[in-house]
Amino acid sequence: MADHYDVLGVSREASADEIKKAYRKLARQLHPDVNPSPEAAEKFKDVTHAYEVLSDAEQRRRYDMGGDEQGAGFGGFGGFGDVFEAFFGAGSGGGGSRGGRPRSRRERGQDALVRLTLELGDVVFGTHRDVEIDTAVLCETCGGSCCAPGTQPVTCDICGGSGHVQRQVRSLLGNVVTQQPCGACQGYGTTIPNPCAACNGQGRVRSRRTVGLDIPAGVENGLRLQLPGSGEVGPAGGPNGDLYVEVSVEPHAVFSREGDDLLATLEVSMTDAILGTSTSIDGLDGAVDLEVRPGVQSGDVLKIDGRGITGLRSSKRGDLRVGVQVVTPTKVDQRTRQLVEELAKRTKAPEPRLAEHHQGMFSKLRDRFFG
């Protein structure tokens, strides 16, 4: 490893001030922001490490005695960037940097969220809704300029329009120039002596407006629809945020949903189950004709193709699946009882027994029937 004194170009008897001056001179020549060559970067690392050791009295003493080196953290500087900022007056936070520009008053508006409740019938083909929302809109008086009519922003006389001010502080390395946002104009570079009275100089006002929403078919409970640019207008007439619509689908008294299919239960009398029957039910989009075959059992499912819900990203509709529930009379007269007993003898009904439980695509319906 090269001798630290040789790296800095000073004698072993050099004072602390001489070491500091030597380092500052070399840092101005070798810092990567000034000299981007790889060789300069390596030399800058050596120079910095040498100064870290020799600028600390205890570390220098150990080094002169041939002992171990322990970095002192460069007197509180965090790295090369901090050193360069101290020497060359770079900015220190708050949006300030070398040659930094003033802040813009125009900012993007916030996103908005509204919740919309739909009926299951609205989901079959989609629907249109007009929703009223409280939001921020462009101020019509100033058009987003934030200034009273006939006036305009004035260049800040403190920072000269740069949005930043510099101040000089004393440090280990001498006088250091730092840069920070101007307190007079909050970093905008301009001030507004005559703010718009309608919006209090914000360029926007709160208002209630109506947004037309085309709800696509097939939306599900909890789905969020995004409407880009329909949210709040930004400060000083900045671009609008987005509007998100969260859909909530109310439960239906008759129909339920499984994917794009609609499910329903049809109660059939015992005689209709034995003999079969034809019937019509009110679907979500009109009447539906059903044919119940003779001998239908509870749990059997009648499927009507294409009478379900239109897919969210397709034009194909799901199916309507109607589960049959045979209703047994709870009260019978003597004559009816005799007829049923005769029927039992003629059909040789089997003894009651436990049926095997088979999980299938209609298990949810069966659970619903017998639950």
Side-chain angles (χ1 to χ4, degrees), residues 53-123:
V53 175
L54 299 183
S55 62
D56 183 270
E58 179 59 26
Q59 288 195 76
R60 181 178 180 182
R61 184 185 65 81
R62 287 200 298 266
Y63 178 74
D64 290 342
M65 295 176 64
D68 295 335
E69 303 172 8
Q70 294 182 357
F74 203 99
F77 286 92
F80 299 153
D82 292 340
V83 176
F84 190 75
E85 288 175 5
F87 286 150
F88 298 101
S92 58
S97 62
R98 214 165 37 253
R101 297 180 180 179
R103 292 171 53 194
S104 173
R105 295 183 188 274
R106 287 172 51 87
E107 297 180 7
R108 183 182 182 274
Q110 292 185 340
D111 296 336
L113 172 66
V114 296
R115 291 177 172 84
L116 181 64
T117 301
L118 301 176
E119 296 180 354
L120 187 59
D122 297 328
V123 177

Side-chain angles (χ1 to χ4, degrees), residues 87-170:
F87 286 150
F88 298 101
S92 58
S97 62
R98 214 165 37 253
R101 297 180 180 179
R103 292 171 53 194
S104 173
R105 295 183 188 274
R106 287 172 51 87
E107 297 180 7
R108 183 182 182 274
Q110 292 185 340
D111 296 336
L113 172 66
V114 296
R115 291 177 172 84
L116 181 64
T117 301
L118 301 176
E119 296 180 354
L120 187 59
D122 297 328
V123 177
V124 176
F125 296 109
T127 186
H128 180 87
R129 287 287 187 274
D130 290 328
V131 179
E132 289 190 346
I133 59 173
D134 290 316
T135 186
V137 299
L138 188 69
C139 176
E140 296 183 355
T141 302
C142 68
S145 70
C146 305
C147 301
T151 67
Q152 58 185 7
V154 176
T155 301
C156 178
D157 56 3
I158 302 298
C159 65
S162 68
H164 305 92
V165 293
Q166 294 181 339
R167 65 188 183 95
Q168 193 176 68
V169 297
R170 296 183 62 83

Side-chain angles (χ1 to χ4, degrees), residues 344 347-353:
T347 58
K348 298 180 180 180
E351 292 293 326
R353 61 184 177 85

Side-chain angles (χ1 to χ4, degrees), residues 266-282:
L266 179 67
E267 294 182 344
V268 178
S269 68
M270 186 175 65
T271 53
D272 284 340
I274 295 172
L275 302 175
T277 187
S278 298
T279 188
S280 178
I281 64 173
D282 292 328

